Amino acid sequence: MSDGTEHSITADFDVSSWEPTPYVVEGTNSELSTVRAVKIFEGAISGTSVADLLLAGNAAGAGYVGSEVFAGSVEGREGTMVIQHWGLAEGEATASSGHIIPGSGTGGLAGISGKAIFTQAEDGQHRLELRVTLPGSPVSGHGEHGAGSDGAVANDSAAEAR
């Protein structure tokens, strides 16, 4: 990730904490809640994240929007970044998208930009794909570059939307 071109980095993640707080808005037919979720990542994406989510769901579907602060390393570059993302579920159909907030990267992640795609496999495993560009060479002494995609990441739109 040193040439300014887009790179795809995929990793699995686990949700270690899920703290919902229901709320009510008069006239709605959906269950509403805010959620604080903590995620654990290992591998090419390694670290933790804290996501604050707004969820809405009913018999026909569910959705969420969220902001997530990641602290750790991406292919050996250590720092923090903020990802905003959303997801919808209608029956078995799901959709999600997200982006790294421009200028939010710190330390070795300074200048990171790109897209974050959250999915969930049929077996329930959460997966994050980052399609990012990052200027400069990786910060030395912060892990293996190109560790692969067998690690763990945090956050899945379809699962969070349900």
Side-chain angles (χ1 to χ4, degrees), residues 42-107:
E42 294 177 5
I45 301 170
S46 179
T48 61
S49 68
V50 177
D52 287 306
L53 312 168
L54 293 173
L55 281 72
N58 56 53
Y64 84 94
V65 295
S67 289
E68 183 163 344
V69 178
F70 171 83
S73 66
V74 176
E75 289 197 332
R77 297 170 178 268
E78 195 167 312
T80 66
M81 64 181 165
V82 178
I83 302 171
Q84 286 196 329
H85 49 97
W86 63 267
L88 290 173
E90 183 177 4
E92 295 297 315
T94 61
S96 71
S97 187
H99 285 84
I100 297 168
I101 299 297
S104 69
T106 66

Side-chain angles (χ1 to χ4, degrees), residues 22-45:
Y23 68 96
V24 176
V25 173
E26 194 68 33
T28 185
N29 67 348
S30 295
E31 293 180 26
L32 305 171
S33 63
T34 62
V35 172
R36 164 86 29 120
V38 177
K39 302 172 185 175
I40 307 296
F41 303 76
E42 294 177 5
I45 301 170

Side-chain angles (χ1 to χ4, degrees), residues 107-133:
L109 297 178
I112 192 169
S113 64
K115 190 168 185 167
I117 303 163
F118 297 96
T119 59
Q120 185 174 13
E122 285 186 27
D123 66 1
Q125 179 61 58
H126 301 288
R127 201 158 278 125
L128 170 62
E129 178 186 1
L130 295 177
R131 294 182 186 167
V132 297
T133 58

